[in-house]
Amino acid sequence: MATTQSTLDDEAESASAESDSEHDSSDYHHSIGVRPTLTEGSDKDRTSVVFVKVDASMAETFETGPERGATAISDLFDDRRDGNITIDQAEQFAWAVTDGMMYAFRADTPSRESTTQVIVTNQPESADALPEPLHTTYQKLTSELPESLDIRIGTLPLELFGPSPALGTRLVMEEENLKPARRGSVSGADANALFEDLAGEPFLYYALYRRSSGLPESYEYQVTVRIFLFNPAYKISTESEYADCLRYGRKCDPADSFADLGVSSSLAVIDDGYNVSLYDGSVVPSRATDLPDFSSGQDRITGKTEFTQMQRAQYGASDILEDRCAWTSLLAREIDLEHYVGLGTVNPGVDPWQKAPQATGLDIDAVGVDPEKLLPDEVTIGVTEPIEDGEFDPDRTTANDGTDEHWERIKRVAVAFDNNGYDVEIVTQDTGSRPDIWIRRDDGEIFAVEVEYRTRSKPGSFYTNLIRQAVWGYKTITVMVPQTDDDGRTESLDTLGSWALDKLMVPMKQRDPTKTQLHNCSETITVDGKTMLLPEGVSESRWWLTRDAEYLLVHDGEILARGDATAPFEAFEFSLPRYYKNDGQWVVENKYDKPVQTYDDERDIEHTKVRQCHRPVDLSYVRFVEALYCYDPDTGELVQQEMTAEWDVEQASSRNERSHQQAFETFLVEHETDDAILERDCRPF
């Protein structure tokens, strides 16, 4: 998957839990990686794949397409190339474009290998130069698929499918581990049937194929199939919408296309665990279930959890789904693989992605062209090793360790997560670009934890850590730790949590009709070794972003500094005093570079330093945060804060809706015509 190389190694723990307790996963190691630096073009999740384009007019070419595609999949697992190549898993993506179907294939070895990305181009004359296992994947598809197809190597950017689906499901077994019937005895129950059923719909089909010695029979495969729809018509955003779904059924369950194979939908399994209250119409979990309330279980109900797992190369199901299904992925004999490979055609009739403005279905010539892949450093989290008492007392080596107070709170939060059953790793690498803690849940999900102690005076610094994790593709858990005053009184957790949620919902301080004021960060501005100061008597930096894409530092209507929205602060124009150290003294100059005062001690300078403003990259940071906690120092426990919309809108369909209303007061879109601006044209990063 896109992040198999860039964020996670093989999630064997999830695979073992999903397939069978007797499966041997000891050959896999568990690690998480983060990108230490980001170069131009490398801030997206991409994966090296082999692309195949099937035009709607070529249907006759693919009468045997699924069978031939299945042969290529099985050949990947059989190919050892003198024992040098072992394929652990193969993946298939499929999505509709205006004139047919696009397919992408990739395979992975059990261990991570450093590779170089290859741009999208024809590669037959230089295929031998491709890195493994891409070379083997290319060769097998080339040998099995028709010569009329143009097979290419490239990179698949996951962001083309949008930030999240409106609906997502996976195929599961409810009763027993059935083996699907052969293609000849089941008509219209396979991937090709799905493509026909979804003609005209924006969707993503994803299948993961694995073969393990732990499976019951030889030449048997573990298949995980996920299907995602992006049409907003299928979105379930409120409890009342879900209640209607339970009463009248879902508008669409793509797993129905496979029903004759003896499989069910994870959505149907989850829906069976909820009831609609006759008293007030609310949705309540059944008594004999561990399913959460709608407010906390919405991502599972909509399939967003599955989408996130797919993005992170995970194929394990949650414990809740695992307990409710006999099998959370399918077992298929080699001859049955063709049910899932589904190399066929479909004529959408229209551009299906026009229905889903948040998704963009790219054609084969549009995907790819990627710089060299930047592999992350690894941070290993032990799985079976007990946590020793002294494990949370490592030597501090990172810039983000901060003060002794901050470090002490990081340790306390780490202990709290450990007590809640998480695998915990306090970051001690020699870099300032790291979260405070990494944790892993028992289902294999990995989170970055940010412990916020003194960020309320500089809210902009509160966002900086979230941006980093968002670019890396990790979810963040934010923990607010209260301060204690000199009299021993501790801040209210409710007040602290409300402050954090408010800042996450709307990353702007205030607005007027022409510009938006932004929060300040803790960093100062230094130009040519001189630190910028505010005029005498001015105690706060007030930065505004105008509709002309310009940042202004304003006081009482006077512009003190200005600069282009895309320029660094050092390139701004300043009409401000500044100071610097010279021959052991601190020299203050006016805006004309004329020295006006000298000091022996920097602390004697009465002017306030100019703080940088936070430069937002998104309308709402809440969607980057998996959970928001407040740490209770009296009990040593984490108190979760509710993150639901309670704003005065007609329908609070998403928790960041409030900030989207303010979008065009802050974020600028180039537009040369009078046509309406569609949502897909507004890119937050």
PDB file of all heavy atoms in Angstrom, residues 198-213:
ATOM      1  N   LEU A 198     -21.541  -0.554 -10.231  1.00  0.00           N
ATOM      2  CA  LEU A 198     -21.117   0.786  -9.827  1.00  0.00           C
ATOM      3  C   LEU A 198     -20.799   1.685 -11.012  1.00  0.00           C
ATOM      4  O   LEU A 198     -20.142   2.713 -10.847  1.00  0.00           O
ATOM      5  CB  LEU A 198     -19.896   0.686  -8.910  1.00  0.00           C
ATOM      6  CG  LEU A 198     -20.108  -0.033  -7.575  1.00  0.00           C
ATOM      7  CD1 LEU A 198     -18.823  -0.032  -6.764  1.00  0.00           C
ATOM      8  CD2 LEU A 198     -21.240   0.588  -6.784  1.00  0.00           C
ATOM      9  N   ALA A 199     -21.216   1.298 -12.201  1.00  0.00           N
ATOM     10  CA  ALA A 199     -20.994   2.154 -13.368  1.00  0.00           C
ATOM     11  C   ALA A 199     -21.616   3.522 -13.107  1.00  0.00           C
ATOM     12  O   ALA A 199     -22.754   3.637 -12.673  1.00  0.00           O
ATOM     13  CB  ALA A 199     -21.596   1.515 -14.614  1.00  0.00           C
ATOM     14  N   GLY A 200     -20.852   4.568 -13.347  1.00  0.00           N
ATOM     15  CA  GLY A 200     -21.324   5.916 -13.081  1.00  0.00           C
ATOM     16  C   GLY A 200     -21.104   6.377 -11.664  1.00  0.00           C
ATOM     17  O   GLY A 200     -21.490   7.491 -11.315  1.00  0.00           O
ATOM     18  N   GLU A 201     -20.500   5.548 -10.830  1.00  0.00           N
ATOM     19  CA  GLU A 201     -20.225   5.910  -9.441  1.00  0.00           C
ATOM     20  C   GLU A 201     -18.731   6.148  -9.236  1.00  0.00           C
ATOM     21  O   GLU A 201     -17.911   5.428  -9.802  1.00  0.00           O
ATOM     22  CB  GLU A 201     -20.656   4.780  -8.498  1.00  0.00           C
ATOM     23  CG  GLU A 201     -22.154   4.584  -8.399  1.00  0.00           C
ATOM     24  CD  GLU A 201     -22.807   5.606  -7.491  1.00  0.00           C
ATOM     25  OE1 GLU A 201     -22.081   6.427  -6.907  1.00  0.00           O
ATOM     26  OE2 GLU A 201     -24.041   5.588  -7.379  1.00  0.00           O
ATOM     27  N   PRO A 202     -18.381   7.133  -8.429  1.00  0.00           N
ATOM     28  CA  PRO A 202     -16.973   7.253  -8.028  1.00  0.00           C
ATOM     29  C   PRO A 202     -16.667   6.237  -6.939  1.00  0.00           C
ATOM     30  O   PRO A 202     -17.275   6.265  -5.865  1.00  0.00           O
ATOM     31  CB  PRO A 202     -16.868   8.689  -7.502  1.00  0.00           C
ATOM     32  CG  PRO A 202     -18.265   9.018  -7.071  1.00  0.00           C
ATOM     33  CD  PRO A 202     -19.206   8.225  -7.919  1.00  0.00           C
ATOM     34  N   PHE A 203     -15.764   5.317  -7.195  1.00  0.00           N
ATOM     35  CA  PHE A 203     -15.480   4.272  -6.218  1.00  0.00           C
ATOM     36  C   PHE A 203     -14.024   3.839  -6.332  1.00  0.00           C
ATOM     37  O   PHE A 203     -13.336   4.090  -7.325  1.00  0.00           O
ATOM     38  CB  PHE A 203     -16.397   3.055  -6.427  1.00  0.00           C
ATOM     39  CG  PHE A 203     -16.073   2.236  -7.647  1.00  0.00           C
ATOM     40  CD1 PHE A 203     -15.240   1.131  -7.563  1.00  0.00           C
ATOM     41  CD2 PHE A 203     -16.607   2.566  -8.885  1.00  0.00           C
ATOM     42  CE1 PHE A 203     -14.932   0.378  -8.684  1.00  0.00           C
ATOM     43  CE2 PHE A 203     -16.311   1.819 -10.007  1.00  0.00           C
ATOM     44  CZ  PHE A 203     -15.462   0.724  -9.911  1.00  0.00           C
ATOM     45  N   LEU A 204     -13.569   3.176  -5.290  1.00  0.00           N
ATOM     46  CA  LEU A 204     -12.245   2.552  -5.254  1.00  0.00           C
ATOM     47  C   LEU A 204     -12.423   1.107  -4.810  1.00  0.00           C
ATOM     48  O   LEU A 204     -13.063   0.838  -3.794  1.00  0.00           O
ATOM     49  CB  LEU A 204     -11.320   3.284  -4.278  1.00  0.00           C
ATOM     50  CG  LEU A 204     -10.002   2.572  -3.925  1.00  0.00           C
ATOM     51  CD1 LEU A 204      -9.117   2.437  -5.149  1.00  0.00           C
ATOM     52  CD2 LEU A 204      -9.272   3.305  -2.818  1.00  0.00           C
ATOM     53  N   TYR A 205     -11.863   0.191  -5.592  1.00  0.00           N
ATOM     54  CA  TYR A 205     -11.871  -1.228  -5.245  1.00  0.00           C
ATOM     55  C   TYR A 205     -10.445  -1.607  -4.889  1.00  0.00           C
ATOM     56  O   TYR A 205      -9.498  -1.286  -5.615  1.00  0.00           O
ATOM     57  CB  TYR A 205     -12.350  -2.049  -6.447  1.00  0.00           C
ATOM     58  CG  TYR A 205     -12.209  -3.550  -6.267  1.00  0.00           C
ATOM     59  CD1 TYR A 205     -13.192  -4.286  -5.615  1.00  0.00           C
ATOM     60  CD2 TYR A 205     -11.103  -4.233  -6.760  1.00  0.00           C
ATOM     61  CE1 TYR A 205     -13.076  -5.660  -5.461  1.00  0.00           C
ATOM     62  CE2 TYR A 205     -10.980  -5.608  -6.613  1.00  0.00           C
ATOM     63  CZ  TYR A 205     -11.965  -6.315  -5.964  1.00  0.00           C
ATOM     64  OH  TYR A 205     -11.838  -7.673  -5.804  1.00  0.00           O
ATOM     65  N   TYR A 206     -10.309  -2.288  -3.759  1.00  0.00           N
ATOM     66  CA  TYR A 206      -8.973  -2.654  -3.285  1.00  0.00           C
ATOM     67  C   TYR A 206      -8.997  -4.096  -2.814  1.00  0.00           C
ATOM     68  O   TYR A 206      -9.886  -4.503  -2.057  1.00  0.00           O
ATOM     69  CB  TYR A 206      -8.558  -1.740  -2.131  1.00  0.00           C
ATOM     70  CG  TYR A 206      -7.350  -2.222  -1.369  1.00  0.00           C
ATOM     71  CD1 TYR A 206      -6.068  -2.126  -1.905  1.00  0.00           C
ATOM     72  CD2 TYR A 206      -7.486  -2.784  -0.097  1.00  0.00           C
ATOM     73  CE1 TYR A 206      -4.963  -2.571  -1.201  1.00  0.00           C
ATOM     74  CE2 TYR A 206      -6.389  -3.225   0.613  1.00  0.00           C
ATOM     75  CZ  TYR A 206      -5.136  -3.123   0.054  1.00  0.00           C
ATOM     76  OH  TYR A 206      -4.037  -3.564   0.752  1.00  0.00           O
ATOM     77  N   ALA A 207      -8.053  -4.895  -3.273  1.00  0.00           N
ATOM     78  CA  ALA A 207      -7.937  -6.285  -2.837  1.00  0.00           C
ATOM     79  C   ALA A 207      -6.492  -6.570  -2.468  1.00  0.00           C
ATOM     80  O   ALA A 207      -5.566  -6.194  -3.195  1.00  0.00           O
ATOM     81  CB  ALA A 207      -8.402  -7.233  -3.936  1.00  0.00           C
ATOM     82  N   LEU A 208      -6.314  -7.217  -1.337  1.00  0.00           N
ATOM     83  CA  LEU A 208      -4.988  -7.612  -0.857  1.00  0.00           C
ATOM     84  C   LEU A 208      -4.925  -9.137  -0.842  1.00  0.00           C
ATOM     85  O   LEU A 208      -5.804  -9.797  -0.295  1.00  0.00           O
ATOM     86  CB  LEU A 208      -4.749  -7.067   0.548  1.00  0.00           C
ATOM     87  CG  LEU A 208      -3.469  -7.521   1.246  1.00  0.00           C
ATOM     88  CD1 LEU A 208      -2.253  -6.948   0.542  1.00  0.00           C
ATOM     89  CD2 LEU A 208      -3.476  -7.101   2.695  1.00  0.00           C
ATOM     90  N   TYR A 209      -3.896  -9.666  -1.474  1.00  0.00           N
ATOM     91  CA  TYR A 209      -3.742 -11.115  -1.573  1.00  0.00           C
ATOM     92  C   TYR A 209      -2.504 -11.545  -0.793  1.00  0.00           C
ATOM     93  O   TYR A 209      -1.430 -10.976  -0.961  1.00  0.00           O
ATOM     94  CB  TYR A 209      -3.575 -11.541  -3.040  1.00  0.00           C
ATOM     95  CG  TYR A 209      -4.615 -10.973  -3.973  1.00  0.00           C
ATOM     96  CD1 TYR A 209      -4.411  -9.757  -4.629  1.00  0.00           C
ATOM     97  CD2 TYR A 209      -5.819 -11.641  -4.199  1.00  0.00           C
ATOM     98  CE1 TYR A 209      -5.357  -9.234  -5.489  1.00  0.00           C
ATOM     99  CE2 TYR A 209      -6.772 -11.131  -5.064  1.00  0.00           C
ATOM    100  CZ  TYR A 209      -6.534  -9.926  -5.705  1.00  0.00           C
ATOM    101  OH  TYR A 209      -7.490  -9.406  -6.555  1.00  0.00           O
ATOM    102  N   ARG A 210      -2.672 -12.571   0.052  1.00  0.00           N
ATOM    103  CA  ARG A 210      -1.556 -13.115   0.810  1.00  0.00           C
ATOM    104  C   ARG A 210      -1.611 -14.634   0.750  1.00  0.00           C
ATOM    105  O   ARG A 210      -2.679 -15.240   0.677  1.00  0.00           O
ATOM    106  CB  ARG A 210      -1.601 -12.678   2.275  1.00  0.00           C
ATOM    107  CG  ARG A 210      -1.501 -11.182   2.479  1.00  0.00           C
ATOM    108  CD  ARG A 210      -1.348 -10.835   3.946  1.00  0.00           C
ATOM    109  NE  ARG A 210      -0.021 -11.177   4.421  1.00  0.00           N
ATOM    110  CZ  ARG A 210       0.230 -12.095   5.345  1.00  0.00           C
ATOM    111  NH1 ARG A 210      -0.755 -12.788   5.876  1.00  0.00           N
ATOM    112  NH2 ARG A 210       1.463 -12.350   5.737  1.00  0.00           N
ATOM    113  N   ARG A 211      -0.437 -15.246   0.786  1.00  0.00           N
ATOM    114  CA  ARG A 211      -0.388 -16.700   0.894  1.00  0.00           C
ATOM    115  C   ARG A 211       0.590 -17.054   1.994  1.00  0.00           C
ATOM    116  O   ARG A 211       1.717 -16.564   2.012  1.00  0.00           O
ATOM    117  CB  ARG A 211       0.047 -17.351  -0.424  1.00  0.00           C
ATOM    118  CG  ARG A 211      -0.273 -18.840  -0.457  1.00  0.00           C
ATOM    119  CD  ARG A 211      -0.014 -19.443  -1.811  1.00  0.00           C
ATOM    120  NE  ARG A 211       1.388 -19.735  -2.009  1.00  0.00           N
ATOM    121  CZ  ARG A 211       1.924 -20.128  -3.154  1.00  0.00           C
ATOM    122  NH1 ARG A 211       1.147 -20.230  -4.218  1.00  0.00           N
ATOM    123  NH2 ARG A 211       3.203 -20.377  -3.260  1.00  0.00           N
ATOM    124  N   SER A 212       0.148 -17.896   2.912  1.00  0.00           N
ATOM    125  CA  SER A 212       0.957 -18.218   4.075  1.00  0.00           C
ATOM    126  C   SER A 212       0.984 -19.722   4.279  1.00  0.00           C
ATOM    127  O   SER A 212       0.023 -20.437   3.958  1.00  0.00           O
ATOM    128  CB  SER A 212       0.386 -17.536   5.330  1.00  0.00           C
ATOM    129  OG  SER A 212       0.983 -18.049   6.498  1.00  0.00           O
ATOM    130  N   SER A 213       2.079 -20.207   4.809  1.00  0.00           N
ATOM    131  CA  SER A 213       2.180 -21.629   5.121  1.00  0.00           C
ATOM    132  C   SER A 213       1.225 -22.027   6.235  1.00  0.00           C
ATOM    133  O   SER A 213       0.970 -23.208   6.460  1.00  0.00           O
ATOM    134  CB  SER A 213       3.619 -21.977   5.521  1.00  0.00           C
ATOM    135  OG  SER A 213       4.013 -21.198   6.653  1.00  0.00           O
TER     136      SER A 213
END
